[in-house]
Structure formats: C-alpha cells, structure tokens
Amino acid sequence: MIVKSQPDKAGLRGKRFVVTGGSRGLGQEVVQLLLGEGAFVAACARRTDSLRGHAAETGQLLTGSLDVREAGRLEGFVEQAGEAFGGLDGVVACVGGAQGRGLEEAAPEDWSATWELNVGHSVRLAAAAAPHLRAAGGGSVVFIASVSGWKPGPQAQYGAAKAALIHLAASLARELGPDGIRVNAVSPGSMLIPGKRWDRMRREDPAAFAAFAEEFPGGALVAPREVAQVVAFLLSAHATGVSGTNIPVDRAQNAPTPDGY
C-alpha cells in the first residue's frame, strides 16, 4: 500500500482519485493539476507513456494501460487503485469521442460505439467506485460532457451521448446522495489542445480558425487548464454543496463547431 500524507480537509492534498483518459489533452491536465496539489492519482489510458516519468519521480501516480471498453478492465483498475491508495475520494471520466458520420452514413455500430465510449464507461466507472467512496464517507464523481450536449452540431451520436452524461449526473446525484457521494458533469467548450483538431486548423487554415474563434465573445478558445480547474474544484471539499449539476466551461461559446447548425 502507498503511504499517504495527511489529507487536507478542504483541499486535495492526500486525497485519492481515479482519472480515465489521463495521458493526454484534458485528462492529462487534470492529472497534472491533482498531482501538483498533492493528491494521489490512478490514471488509465490506452497508452500511458507520457505519464511514466512523473510516476517514477513522485510515487503519487498509479498508471494502467487499458481500453475502458474492455469487459472488466476498468473495474479491475478501480479495485487496484482502491487497494493501492487505501481507498478512493473521487473519480473523473475523461475518456470520450465519437465514431461515424451523419445520420444516413453512420452504422448502428457507430452509435453504439460512441455511446459505450462516453456513457457506458462513465456508468461502469461510477458503479465500480461507489463502494470505495461510500466506505470513505462520501466522495465526488465527475463526468466530462460537452457543450455539444445541448448546443446542436454534428455528429448527432456525439451530442446525444454527451446529453446523456448530463442527465446521468443529475440522476445519480439523487441516487448516491444519501451516501455522501456527489455527482456532477462538466461541459467544456472547444478546447485548444496541441496536435488536436483546433490546433491543426489554427496552423493549417488560419482564416478558418479565425472565423471559428468568432463563436467565442472573447475571441479565444477554451484552455484545458481552465476546465481542469473546475474539475478540481468539484473534487474538493470546497464544492460540498454542488451536486447533480452541469457546469459549462466554454467562454460563452455559441456554435460548438465551425459546422454548427
């Protein structure tokens, strides 16, 4: 078992978390922020190369290389984290994405794959973590949804899955609330992540990127750090009164994509 420092009553020091999709983008930002606050983090992703250095340096980080859609793998990782840390105080479902194109082009398998990647894995993460959070006297579950969950844009299967996560947070907050477990959704706007879609557009088609930036009143896309800070707040004791809600972090973005309707 990992030896923990004394927990900070209101903050994150010494607290114990599981983060899915923690090796890049928003997930990596969440992991780095939590580690910087002195928390213990178990992060899983299909590839965890980017996290290994920090794990070796601090001993605060447990990593697992897995696909969250594989039967039993995510549940096993949650159990491993709970055992290594002596319990859990919260979980963050960062894995997400979409498969397929428009309604007439997308196969039924595209819809089911998108649903499982976003909603299915989040449900299984919450279910696996619930006994650990209950044993700790309560905790926090955070689902990463999206502004696409209520601002229409292509593709419909992605937006529908993110809308389901927002509803899931509200429903599970009522179900798990008696055990002191808070459940919330965070809906990022379009984030400027190195190497991802909007960063490529910025470099390859500056005019199109400038036009898309006009969807934001301030003219700037969302930074992953801005979203991670809200996630960290929801995981902390500073947010004990916040449960069952969806918090947009989108800089008042209008259309969620340049192809918005």
Side-chain angles (χ1 to χ4, degrees):
M1 180 184 295
I2 293 176
V3 178
K4 310 194 304 337
S5 59
Q6 186 66 27
D8 176 355
K9 186 175 180 180
L12 297 169
R13 181 170 300 279
K15 298 298 178 64
R16 306 150 299 179
F17 304 107
V18 172
V19 180
T20 66
S23 66
R24 61 180 183 174
L26 174 59
Q28 186 177 31
E29 198 72 49
V30 169
V31 169
Q32 291 175 344
L33 192 156
L34 294 177
L35 291 172
E37 290 293 322
F40 289 83
V41 183
C44 65
R46 283 181 293 183
R47 295 190 60 179
T48 57
D49 298 358
S50 63
L51 295 171
R52 288 175 185 166
H54 197 109
E57 291 167 11
T58 68
Q60 291 173 252
L61 181 63
L62 172 70
T63 63
S65 224
L66 60 97
D67 186 329
V68 296
R69 296 168 295 184
E70 294 180 38
R73 294 292 304 281
L74 177 58
E75 292 83 349
F77 183 69
V78 171
E79 291 303 313
Q80 180 186 1
E83 182 177 348
F85 296 157
L88 293 175
D89 299 294
V91 295
V92 184
C94 275
V95 170
Q99 183 173 306
R101 298 181 66 80
L103 178 64
E104 294 177 277
E105 301 168 276
E109 293 77 14
D110 294 325
W111 281 81
S112 59
T114 300
W115 181 270
E116 179 57 31
L117 189 62
N118 294 277
V119 185
H121 115 267
S122 298
V123 170
R124 292 190 293 107
L125 175 64
H132 297 280
L133 302 180
R134 190 177 297 115
S140 177
V141 176
V142 179
F143 300 138
I144 302 301
S146 169
V147 294
S148 295
W150 75 92
K151 296 181 179 181
Q155 308 302 321
Q157 57 268 37
Y158 179 74
K162 292 303 188 182
L165 281 176
I166 294 169
H167 181 89
L168 183 67
S171 182
L172 292 185
R174 298 297 298 271
E175 180 177 343
L176 301 177
D179 295 318
I181 300 172
R182 297 179 295 106
V183 188
N184 292 286
V186 173
S187 286
S190 299
M191 292 182 287
L192 191 60
I193 299 173
K196 302 296 283 185
R197 180 182 179 183
W198 311 126
D199 182 49
R200 293 197 303 270
M201 176 188 283
R202 181 176 59 86
R203 290 182 283 105
E204 298 168 5
D205 194 344
F209 180 80
F212 180 46
E214 292 178 3
E215 298 291 343
F216 301 80
L221 276 66
V222 179
R225 187 74 173 185
E226 294 173 315
V227 183
Q229 287 168 338
V230 174
V231 173
F233 165 71
L234 290 172
L235 292 172
S236 77
H238 295 295
T240 53
V242 184
S243 190
T245 194
N246 172 51
I247 301 180
V249 188
D250 62 359
R251 290 178 170 264
Q253 181 177 0
N254 185 25
T257 75
D259 310 309
Y261 300 121

